Amino acid sequence: MGKAGDPDRSVELLWDGRPGLSLPAIVAAAVEVADAEGLAGLSMRKVAERLGFTTMSLYRHVPGRAHLVDLMRDAVLGDPPAPRPDQGWRARLEAFAHAAWELRKRHPWLAEERGARHVPGPNALAHFEHALAILADTGLPPAEVVASVGLVARFVDAEAAALVEAARTERSTGVGDEEWWGARDSLYARFDRFPTVTRLWETGGFDQPDPFGFGLARLLDGIEILINRRDVKRDETCRMCGGPVEQPASGRPRAYCSRACQQRAYRGRRSG
């Protein structure tokens, strides 16, 4: 008889089996590679090596790298946050944007491949639905709801793209932004030629504690102005009888003064 093997290892093999290759495992390993090296460092070979399988074995689960990136993007998004009806639209949209920003700080590669032709997955559409629902009942026309959500999303992506560039440069040079700019004394010695730059520099104008928060607040200010203008323009008379309409403090504006006028308008549309 041959020499007995490790009994604990036998228990693992008999009861747990050899860890198999699965799509979730491939996606999780790919996310780890991209988090460490960016999308430029992502390859099917590196993912396979991380999992302990051959590269060809991955292709039985994922057709190629582009499909893998789509899967990665949807996986890290996860589920959208639960709705908070106790909060106003601004607080909810701000929280949504900050969550997207924190996600991109954890996974900067999300901003590396930007464009309009990425096929959205179920998680991506759930997040889009969540964001649209925040503004859908503010009184903004549908096109302005979609445009406002797109504006906030593009702002988040643009800020995240700066993180991507900084991370890429640091990987290639081994020097971070703060260290690089801290060594530019020869440049700062020439700032006296530019009095406005010098004055703002010396009074802390370039010390931005939260540039993302500042920019997001200004965007939300603009959306709030737009919503307030729409509130002023709401029709305050009943479309059916011309009487006054008491508008709710929030939500959709009312077009009719009573349920009876609403039903008469509906019957009129049906008969027409």
Side-chain angles (χ1 to χ4, degrees):
M1 294 181 64
K3 185 179 179 180
D6 179 359
D8 290 333
R9 182 59 177 150
S10 294
V11 171
E12 291 176 4
L13 292 171
L14 287 166
W15 287 88
D16 300 330
R18 182 172 182 268
L21 191 62
S22 67
L23 189 58
I26 292 171
V27 172
V31 169
E32 291 176 0
V33 173
D35 286 348
E37 304 181 38
L39 289 184
L42 177 69
S43 68
M44 300 292 276
R45 176 184 59 79
K46 287 183 179 179
V47 176
E49 289 176 350
R50 183 174 287 262
L51 291 167
F53 285 87
T54 64
T55 304
M56 288 305 299
S57 63
L58 265 64
Y59 287 102
R60 290 196 289 270
H61 296 268
V62 185
R65 183 182 179 280
H67 294 89
L68 180 58
V69 173
D70 286 339
L71 291 165
M72 292 161 55
R73 186 179 294 108
D74 209 56
V76 298
L77 280 173
D79 296 326
R84 292 289 306 272
D86 57 313
Q87 294 181 327
W89 71 265
R90 177 161 181 149
R92 284 181 288 158
L93 191 57
E94 183 178 22
F96 178 83
H98 273 288
W101 174 236
E102 292 300 323
L103 181 68
R104 281 154 180 78
K105 287 197 289 186
R106 294 194 300 273
H107 308 289
W109 52 268
L110 281 169
E112 285 192 48
E113 288 191 355
R114 299 167 64 191
R117 294 191 176 183
H118 289 302
V119 176
N123 289 338
L125 279 180
H127 279 260
F128 190 41
E129 166 76 14
H130 175 80
L132 293 175
I134 292 172
L135 293 177
D137 293 330
T138 59
L140 290 178
E144 291 182 1
V145 169
V146 175
S148 297
V149 169
L151 183 63
V152 172
R154 285 190 296 274
F155 170 73
V156 174
D157 280 341
E159 290 293 303
L163 292 182
V164 169
E165 185 57 36
R168 182 185 295 125
T169 303
E170 184 169 353
R171 281 195 300 268
S172 63
T173 65
V175 178
D177 274 359
E178 187 173 348
E179 181 182 354
W180 191 89
W181 283 108
R184 302 280 75 80
D185 289 340
S186 60
L187 171 65
Y188 306 141
R190 293 166 170 79
F191 273 18
D192 57 356
R193 304 179 190 178
F194 306 97
T196 304
V197 171
T198 299
R199 177 168 53 84
L200 291 174
W201 176 272
E202 293 176 345
T203 55
F206 291 88
D207 299 331
Q208 278 283 352
D210 183 17
F212 176 84
F214 177 83
L216 177 61
R218 302 295 73 75
L219 274 181
L220 296 179
D221 287 346
I223 295 173
E224 187 166 16
I225 289 172
L226 190 62
I227 290 173
N228 290 339
R229 285 177 179 172
R230 292 292 178 184
D231 285 341
V232 170
K233 292 179 180 179
R234 285 182 177 182
D235 189 0
E236 301 294 338
T237 60
C238 178
R239 295 181 184 177
M240 195 66 199
C241 70
V245 177
E246 183 178 350
Q247 296 293 345
S250 61
R252 294 180 182 277
R254 293 173 182 159
Y256 305 99
C257 64
S258 65
R259 182 70 174 171
C261 279
Q262 185 179 28
Q263 290 175 344
R264 284 201 296 273
Y266 175 74
R267 287 195 295 270
R269 289 196 297 271
R270 294 276 292 183
S271 62

